[in-house]
């Protein structure tokens, strides 16, 4: 039972708060859970009930909640300076962060531009790419005014980023407001049109993307892509070879490749950045989410020296990138991001996560792979996605109005697991520091929740 006080807070919330990505009417039957504190992989409500945060609070919580080192870094920075204008001023946390990032990213990405959320980083990269071509001495390049992106892509919510996205649920209604982005087919490995497996795939499906380059290659400024993982679309995982072919096509046609590593960066996919697995170098990489360990909103656009140089000139030539956000380069967020990188390095976080990853996948498969509504359990790093289907053989989805994923979400919550599915795709994307026994516990609750919502 909830105490009177907790009920009161929940009701007070609903009087004024409009929550993200929610039909607020759903809150009538499932009121907001009033959180009080968090530690490691757990969130605690005002009753002290624990919820295992197996989705890293929307994929940002990288090393666990209330991490001693990160919290200390934040408090230390707070004692020095909370925020200051970043034009003409700088500070050690930003400088050291960029120096450290430069050692981790492909060596040609040497310049870092700060924004305050992921969508804003995407917008900045889009504007930079456009401006790069718009002020090119080459007349042909000045015709590059379009963007290309994959079906099912997700790049954020602001109008430019939403234009690049291809998840209709989020963008269809806003079409009249959006940029006209050339949308190419995306890999669909679960329902591969070439009947390949992940082991035998040579990205045959890229052949249907190529014609788009033939048609739009000369007028496109950049291709946006989420490397290896279309996360918001349902943790759709595709092989590195598709990314290699995409990089090649972009290079052939003089198109910038913008890698959106907002969800995939900082070890989520088993390497520090997903692009490394394809051994490709994009022209831009956008970073956020795990960047600050999930403590503070911050994002970074990493760009090549070549792009930076194209903006570098006397003031009167009007070539500068006149784009700013009030909280650009916030020192507290920079101090956190720097401590995230140091912690990952000194505590060998990625090696530990990679040691757990195969066992973790096996635990989930042992518990769930044989269930008649589990179509596939796919894995990349510690990210595991369970795609539920009505019919395992034909891979027929459940009718969306059944909201099977949402029913399972509610069951799991009752049992103390925060498992926020994407439609009927359940997924684990926990802090990289999760232990095997915590993973086992989450698996057990997930299994119970699935069983309680499906017929046997
Ligand atoms: C979350 C996300 C974004 C948007 O970041 P926000 O900080 O929520 O604006 C963009 N791209 C990808 C791949 C994401 O996962």
């Amino acid at each position: 039972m909830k105490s009177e006080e907790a009920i009161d807070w929940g009701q007070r919330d609903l009087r004024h708060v409009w929550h993200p990505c929610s039909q607020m009417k759903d809150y009538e039957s499932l009121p907001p859970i009033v959180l009080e504190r968090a530690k490691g992989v757990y969130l605690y409500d005002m009753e002290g009930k624990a919820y295992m945060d197996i989705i890293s609070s929307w994929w940002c919580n990288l090393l666990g909640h209330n991490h001693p080192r990160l919290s200390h870094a934040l408090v230390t920075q707070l004692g020095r300076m909370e925020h200051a204008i970043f034009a003409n001023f700088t500070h050690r946390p930003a400088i050291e962060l960029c120096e450290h990032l430069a050692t981790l990213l492909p060596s040609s990405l040497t310049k870092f531009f700060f924004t305050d959320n992921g969508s804003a980083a995407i917008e900045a990269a889009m504007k930079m790419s456009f401006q790069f071509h718009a002020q090119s001495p080459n007349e042909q390049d000045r015709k590059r005014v379009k963007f290309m992106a994959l079906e099912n892509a997700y790049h954020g919510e602001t109008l430019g980023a939403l234009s690049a996205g291809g998840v209709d649920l989020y963008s269809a209604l806003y079409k009249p407001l959006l940029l006209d982005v050339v949308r190419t087919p995306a890999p669909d490995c679960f329902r591969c049109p070439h009947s390949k497996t992940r082991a035998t795939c040579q990205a045959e499906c890229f052949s249907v993307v190529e014609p788009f380059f033939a048609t739009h290659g000369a007028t496109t400024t950049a291709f946006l892509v989420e490397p290896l993982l279309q996360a918001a679309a349902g943790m759709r995982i595709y092989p590195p070879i598709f990314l290699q072919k995409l990089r090649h096509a972009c290079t052939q046609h003089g198109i910038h490749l913008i890698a959106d590593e907002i969800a995939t960066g900082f070890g989520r996919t088993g390497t520090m950045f997903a692009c490394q697995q394809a051994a490709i170098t994009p022209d831009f990489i956008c970073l956020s989410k795990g960047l600050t360990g999930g403590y503070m909103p911050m994002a970074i656009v990493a760009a090549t020296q070549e792009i930076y140089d194209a903006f570098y000139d006397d003031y009167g030539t009007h070539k500068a990138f006149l784009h700013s956000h009030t909280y650009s380069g916030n020192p507290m967020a920079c101090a956190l991001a720097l401590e995230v990188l140091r912690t990952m390095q000194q505590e060998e976080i990625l090696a530990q996560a990679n040691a757990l990853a195969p066992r973790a996948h096996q635990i989930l498969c042992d518990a769930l792979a044989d269930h008649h509504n589990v179509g596939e359990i796919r894995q990349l790093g510690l990210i595991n996605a369970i795609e539920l289907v009505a019919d395992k053989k034909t891979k027929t989805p459940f009718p969306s109005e059944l909201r099977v994923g949402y029913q399972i979400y509610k069951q799991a919550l009752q049992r103390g697991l925060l498992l926020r599915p994407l439609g009927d795709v359940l997924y684990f994307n926990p802090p990289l520091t999760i232990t095997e026994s915590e993973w086992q516990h989450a698996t057990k609750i997930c299994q119970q929740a699935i069983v309680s919502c499906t017929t046997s």
Side-chain angles (χ1 to χ4, degrees):
M1 267 311 291
K2 286 194 167 155
S3 75
E4 284 307 308
E5 196 193 14
I7 290 168
D8 189 40
W9 282 109
Q11 283 167 358
R12 282 167 67 180
D13 173 281
L14 290 177
R15 249 175 257 149
H16 295 293
V17 180
W18 195 342
H19 289 270
C21 205
S22 299
Q23 170 48 263
M24 291 307 300
K25 191 163 194 288
D26 281 346
Y27 287 57
E28 285 174 17
S29 56
L30 182 63
I33 293 161
V34 186
L35 294 173
E36 191 163 64
R37 62 195 177 86
K39 186 74 194 164
V41 74
Y42 286 103
L43 306 169
Y44 298 89
D45 71 11
M46 293 185 73
E47 304 300 289
K49 177 174 172 180
Y51 297 87
M52 195 190 282
D53 187 2
I54 203 72
I55 61 160
S56 296
S57 282
W58 267 340
W59 327 338
C60 64
N61 187 267
L62 192 70
L63 304 177
H65 293 278
N66 203 353
H67 188 283
R69 284 187 66 163
L70 300 190
S71 298
H72 183 256
L74 175 58
V75 170
T76 305
Q77 180 55 40
L78 187 58
R80 294 180 181 142
M81 176 169 64
E82 80 300 336
H83 183 69
I85 182 171
F86 202 54
N88 266 127
F89 288 86
T90 191
H91 43 75
R92 272 175 50 181
I95 297 164
E96 287 186 282
L97 172 60
C98 293
E99 284 173 351
H100 200 133
L101 274 175
T103 67
L104 299 172
L105 287 163
S107 61
S108 56
L109 293 161
T110 53
K111 297 294 178 184
F112 303 97
F113 188 88
F114 289 82
T115 69
D116 46 18
N117 65 74
S119 305
I122 294 291
E123 303 264 343
M126 290 171 81
K127 283 176 67 180
M128 279 178 178
S129 173
F130 173 81
Q131 187 174 340
F132 174 94
H133 287 126
Q135 57 198 21
S136 164
N138 177 339
E139 195 191 325
Q140 287 307 312
D141 274 346
R142 294 202 293 273
K143 294 180 181 151
R144 296 184 181 276
V145 295
K146 283 189 295 203
F147 294 92
M148 290 167 81
L150 295 177
E151 277 170 8
N152 309 308
Y154 180 84
H155 297 291
E157 304 289 0
T158 53
L159 292 175
L162 195 64
S163 304
V167 181
D168 278 352
L169 176 66
Y170 305 131
S171 61
L173 179 81
Y174 303 102
K175 277 272 143 63
L177 303 180
L178 301 183
L179 301 173
D180 198 10
V181 168
V182 177
R183 180 85 42 218
T184 81
D188 183 358
C189 301
F190 177 45
R191 298 183 176 87
C192 176
H194 299 272
S195 307
K196 298 281 175 168
T197 66
R198 292 183 196 279
T200 61
C201 166
Q202 290 297 315
E204 286 79 1
C205 62
F206 195 79
S207 62
V208 293
V209 179
E210 260 151 12
F212 288 86
F213 280 90
T215 310
H216 302 284
T219 52
T220 296
T221 178
F223 198 118
L224 294 103
V225 69
E226 296 161 88
L228 304 192
L229 175 78
Q230 292 192 297
M235 298 293 164
R236 296 161 70 116
I237 296 164
Y238 63 89
I241 186 164
F242 185 93
L243 208 54
Q244 287 163 353
K245 290 188 177 184
L246 182 62
R247 171 71 273 188
H248 182 71
C250 286
T251 305
Q252 291 290 303
H253 290 87
I255 296 172
H256 289 144
L257 183 64
I258 301 176
D260 178 350
E261 293 242 20
I262 292 168
T264 50
F266 305 99
R268 288 295 188 189
T269 67
T271 45
M272 197 62 179
F273 302 103
C275 285
Q276 289 170 258
Q277 291 178 50
I280 61 148
T281 300
D283 302 282
F284 298 90
I285 293 187
C286 298
L287 302 170
S288 190
K289 293 207 165 100
L291 174 64
T292 62
Y295 267 59
M296 291 201 44
M298 184 168 78
I300 286 180
V301 182
T304 61
Q305 187 71 37
E306 184 200 355
I307 288 162
Y308 175 86
D309 286 344
F311 291 76
Y312 197 89
D313 210 339
D314 293 329
Y315 183 79
T317 59
H318 303 294
K319 281 191 175 174
F321 189 53
L322 296 181
H323 178 115
S324 64
H325 294 286
T326 309
Y327 288 99
S328 295
N330 176 265
M332 295 186 292
C334 289
L336 280 163
L338 184 59
E339 193 65 11
V340 165
L341 296 181
R342 287 177 174 162
T343 304
M344 284 191 77
Q345 193 169 54
Q346 288 162 12
E347 299 185 8
E348 298 181 351
I349 301 289
L350 193 50
Q352 283 173 43
N354 286 340
L356 175 60
R359 292 205 304 275
H361 181 61
Q362 195 56 49
I363 289 167
L364 263 185
C365 289
D366 289 347
L368 287 166
D370 291 338
H371 189 283
H372 59 281
N373 294 120
V374 171
E376 179 182 56
I377 304 178
R378 47 184 178 262
Q379 178 235 338
L380 186 63
L382 278 181
I383 297 171
N384 279 257
I386 304 154
E387 178 139 358
L388 299 176
V389 290
D391 186 317
K392 203 172 176 117
K393 275 221 175 59
T394 60
K395 302 182 178 177
T396 311
F398 282 109
S400 59
E401 60 276 15
L402 287 184
R403 301 185 76 190
V404 175
Y406 184 65
Q407 309 306 331
I408 292 171
Y409 167 60
K410 290 198 284 190
Q411 287 294 328
L413 265 186
Q414 269 183 18
R415 293 169 165 83
L417 179 68
L418 167 50
L419 180 78
R420 201 171 196 275
L422 295 153
D424 292 339
V425 177
L426 318 175
Y427 65 90
F428 287 12
N429 185 7
L432 300 180
T433 47
I434 193 171
T435 64
E436 186 167 336
S437 68
E438 287 166 339
W439 184 283
Q440 253 154 355
H441 183 61
T443 302
K444 209 171 115 206
I445 298 178
C446 178
Q447 184 184 30
Q448 290 168 354
I450 292 175
V451 168
S452 74
C453 294
T454 51
T455 53
S456 52

